[in-house]
Amino acid sequence: MVNGTEYPPVLTSQQESELLFALKDWALTHGLVIRSSSANASAEQTESSALATPVPLTLFPSPYPKSLLQHARSIQPLFNDLYVKIADDLPFLDAITANLAKVDTFSKDLYRIYKEVEAEGGPGQDLSLGIFRSDYLLHSNNHDDDDNDDGSGSVSLRQVELNTIAASFMGLSSRASDLHRFLHAAGYYPEGNILSRDADLPENPAARQIARGLGLAAQAYGVKESIVLFIVQPGERNAFDQRWLEYHLLNDFKIRVARASLDDAFSRATVDPETKVLRYDGDEVSVVYYRSGYSPDDYPTPNSWQARKKLELSKAIKSPSLATQFAGAKKVQQVLVDDSVLSNYVDGESKTLISDTFTEILPLDNSDKGQRARELIATRPQDFVLKPQREGGGNNVYKEKIPEFLKSLGDEELWKGYILMELIKPPSDAQNSIVRAGEVKSAQVISELGIYGIVLWDSKTHQVKQNFEAGWLVRTKFADSEEGGVAAGFGSIDSLVLV
Ligand code: ADP
Ligand code: MG
């Protein structure tokens, strides 16, 4: 990522083994861990669930232009505002989601619950909490002009997606920055020009800032002794990432947390028919925070769907509401690339700052754009990724596999559930080492920066009560891997050294 500089520093085998040992012990000491895949996944509370292992990590922080980190952080409140407006534009979301429901079973199920909630009077709470994460890759403008290959070309931020539900890793991300800062300060890195003694390895406030978002929402709900309910996947391996939020909430706000799967919520949560107050095991719930509910697998039984509906109808503040979850659909991202749609929500300099991060995204419908998408797939599939309406990694189809995949769907109507996105081309000169399951591998890497955003607003009056940027996540993957998800097994957690 930094031209003309050797990075990361070369280590002797003794230096490397000492560094590795220090990294693993620090990770275990500070909860930079994930539940072992060998641990009993079906019960969080069994003894074998005490088995944890360091999360996949980079050995070194990744060099990143300071100005681009600052820029990405500074535009997050604009994205927060934009997605509030979209989440509140119910006719717009209704039209998009109703169309998706025709071709995608998961969208159909979510939409059905949404309509049932609407028929029963709508969500029992006007306040809504967004815990967003806008993900970016650096695009190297060199790739746009093959004659200019002197390595000095500029890079810019391009948005991969904006997550409105279950954006994760804020806990581990803050710890990863602490880890690299420790390794640097304790002298485990040989001093090089990027990792000089006064190198800038920023502290990452993500865990504490997201907890602050939850805490401020709970305070806005305004009932002393109420709790925050985390809706989680049964046997969640990434529970430690979530625990950090729980610890900060208790520490900084004196607010307790309960953890429940959707099926737990079905059997143990109640909603008062008059006041719509949500209680879990008797405790009043101020905020429902979803770290589950974004994938069809999260709804294993009809009861889990009923639980989602019950929570939505309740007076608790949801993060996110169903409407806010819909706003994060990949289809919405595609439609927003159209200037005439984006202009409905934002104008002037804000619009430019937002749209400057966009990449071409096309629908696969019967419109002119849909025709163009078909031509591009036929002529240069290597420049595109095809995405369904899913979250959580491992769902996309890349490059030359796209035509065959679409053909395998059979009915062209089903193509409408997908979007076609131009591939962002990151600089190809970054190297790092990834430590996964104790093994170190060094190769060319690509880093994806995610910026968290918190926004608390009234969805009826559209009044925004809190809107702030809330730290970041860096995930680094090997350049030869198409996906970057850590939980899905492709990437690692990283931090930044600013250059
Ligand atoms: P998910 O909702 O599954 O996280 P994403 O849209 O984030 O889906 O895509 C998953 C991964 O695929 C990203 O983290 C990134 O590594 C890669 N990817 C997605 N879109 C692009 C793109 N336009 N250019 C390059 N890589 C991409
Ligand atoms: Mg993603």
Side-chain angles (χ1 to χ4, degrees):
M1 223 170 277
V2 181
N3 295 316
T5 319
E6 188 157 323
Y7 193 86
V10 178
L11 302 174
T12 64
S13 65
Q14 188 184 340
Q15 280 173 329
E16 182 177 293
S17 64
E18 281 172 8
L19 172 55
L20 252 184
F21 199 26
L23 173 141
K24 286 185 223 166
D25 279 359
W26 195 99
L28 291 171
T29 313
H30 296 84
L32 185 42
V33 292
I34 189 156
R35 204 180 304 288
S36 304
S37 44
S38 57
N40 182 350
S42 62
E44 282 197 4
Q45 281 148 9
T46 61
E47 189 138 347
S48 72
S49 73
L51 291 174
T53 183
V55 71
L57 289 161
T58 56
L59 205 46
F60 298 92
S62 282
Y64 205 84
K66 185 175 186 167
S67 57
L68 289 180
L69 175 68
Q70 272 170 353
H71 183 65
R73 295 181 72 183
S74 72
I75 60 177
Q76 188 56 39
L78 303 180
F79 275 110
N80 292 347
D81 261 333
L82 170 63
Y83 275 78
V84 161
K85 290 191 177 128
I86 296 168
D88 286 354
D89 189 349
L90 298 179
F92 170 76
L93 288 180
D94 203 334
I96 287 197
T97 318
N99 274 327
L100 287 176
K102 292 180 198 152
V103 290
D104 179 73
T105 51
F106 183 53
S107 302
K108 182 175 162 193
D109 288 336
L110 281 171
Y111 190 61
R112 178 174 49 81
I113 296 296
Y114 174 73
K115 281 296 186 193
E116 287 177 16
V117 168
E118 200 180 46
E120 292 179 38
Q125 172 63 258
D126 293 341
L127 288 179
S128 194
L129 175 67
I131 299 181
F132 299 154
R133 198 187 67 220
S134 180
D135 291 338
Y136 304 93
L137 286 169
L138 289 182
H139 181 72
S140 166
N141 301 321
N142 274 345
H143 293 286
D144 295 341
D145 175 6
D146 288 340
D147 297 337
N148 172 15
D149 56 0
D150 63 358
S152 66
S154 61
V155 289
S156 51
L157 289 168
R158 292 288 175 85
Q159 188 177 53
V160 173
E161 63 161 344
L162 188 137
N163 302 282
T164 60
I165 181 165
S168 60
F169 289 122
M170 54 289 275
L172 300 188
S173 178
S174 285
R175 298 291 80 76
S177 130
D178 293 346
L179 162 72
H180 289 147
R181 285 160 55 82
F182 160 75
L183 293 171
H184 179 245
Y188 286 100
Y189 296 144
E191 258 188 62
N193 42 6
I194 290 180
L195 282 175
S196 65
R197 197 170 291 277
D198 58 359
D200 186 359
L201 279 69
E203 237 177 278
N204 181 346
R208 182 152 261 142
Q209 287 298 319
I210 305 288
R212 186 174 146 233
L214 288 165
L216 291 170
Q219 286 178 344
Y221 182 87
V223 174
K224 263 213 155 65
E225 301 296 322
S226 58
I227 65 164
V228 171
L229 185 64
F230 285 18
I231 299 295
V232 299
Q233 296 174 334
E236 170 65 83
R237 289 188 61 210
N238 196 27
F240 307 103
D241 178 50
Q242 303 164 353
R243 288 286 184 188
W244 278 110
L245 299 179
E246 177 181 343
Y247 305 150
H248 286 309
L249 260 174
L250 192 62
N251 223 7
D252 299 350
F253 287 84
K254 306 277 175 284
I255 291 171
R256 284 181 301 133
V257 164
R259 297 168 61 82
S261 68
L262 280 168
D263 278 2
D264 292 334
F266 178 80
S267 54
R268 289 159 63 179
T270 58
V271 177
D272 184 295
E274 292 299 312
T275 63
K276 302 273 195 291
V277 164
L278 176 69
R279 292 183 184 278
Y280 188 71
D281 287 348
D283 286 320
E284 180 161 355
V285 176
S286 58
V287 181
V288 177
Y289 171 46
Y290 287 96
R291 288 293 291 262
S292 173
Y294 56 85
S295 142
D297 299 343
D298 295 339
Y299 301 85
T301 64
N303 288 353
S304 20
W305 284 108
Q306 284 313 305
R308 181 79 198 255
K309 180 176 163 186
K310 172 160 67 177
L311 300 174
E312 189 76 7
L313 279 166
S314 81
K315 192 188 159 193
I317 299 172
K318 266 72 67 182
S319 186
S321 66
L322 276 167
T324 308
Q325 180 171 356
F326 292 154
K330 299 219 164 42
K331 182 69 192 176
V332 171
Q333 186 189 3
Q334 175 253 305
V335 172
L336 281 181
V337 170
D338 189 332
D339 185 70
S340 67
V341 179
L342 185 62
S343 301
N344 291 333
Y345 304 106
V346 59
D347 57 14
E349 199 199 346
S350 300
K351 189 174 87 174
T352 310
L353 288 167
I354 285 173
S355 63
D356 277 352
T357 69
F358 288 175
T359 296
E360 175 84 298
I361 312 180
L362 295 164
L364 281 159
D365 56 16
N366 305 324
S367 65
D368 289 351
K369 286 188 172 174
Q371 278 314 317
R372 175 152 170 72
R374 284 168 165 78
E375 280 162 34
L376 289 167
I377 289 169
T379 53
R380 44 185 197 97
Q382 68 277 9
D383 292 328
F384 292 89
V385 50
L386 182 76
K387 301 187 183 184
Q389 307 304 312
R390 288 288 179 283
E391 303 297 327
N395 302 304
N396 299 340
V397 181
Y398 293 86
K399 302 180 180 177
E400 285 83 0
K401 295 189 206 97
I402 298 173
E404 199 186 323
F405 174 83
L406 284 173
K407 217 177 284 164
S408 76
L409 290 179
D411 186 357
E412 280 203 23
E413 272 301 295
L414 297 176
W415 295 18
K416 294 179 182 166
Y418 293 79
I419 60 162
L420 185 73
M421 182 172 186
E422 187 153 15
L423 283 168
I424 303 162
K425 308 239 164 100
S428 54
D429 57 356
Q431 300 271 330
N432 208 332
S433 304
I434 294 177
V435 188
R436 172 183 283 275
E439 301 287 320
V440 193
K441 195 181 145 196
S442 307
Q444 196 186 315
V445 292
I446 292 170
S447 296
E448 184 167 336
L449 177 72
I451 305 288
Y452 297 100
I454 293 286
V455 59
L456 177 68
W457 80 100
D458 185 314
S459 56
K460 283 276 150 40
T461 64
H462 314 302
Q463 192 199 3
V464 173
K465 298 180 177 297
Q466 298 284 343
N467 178 2
F468 53 92
E469 175 270 331
W472 61 90
L473 164 69
V474 195
R475 285 172 298 174
T476 292
K477 63 176 180 180
F478 291 121
D480 59 10
S481 156
E482 281 158 336
E483 291 263 341
V486 179
F490 306 104
S492 65
I493 310 263
D494 196 350
S495 79
L496 301 176
V497 50
L498 299 177
V499 292

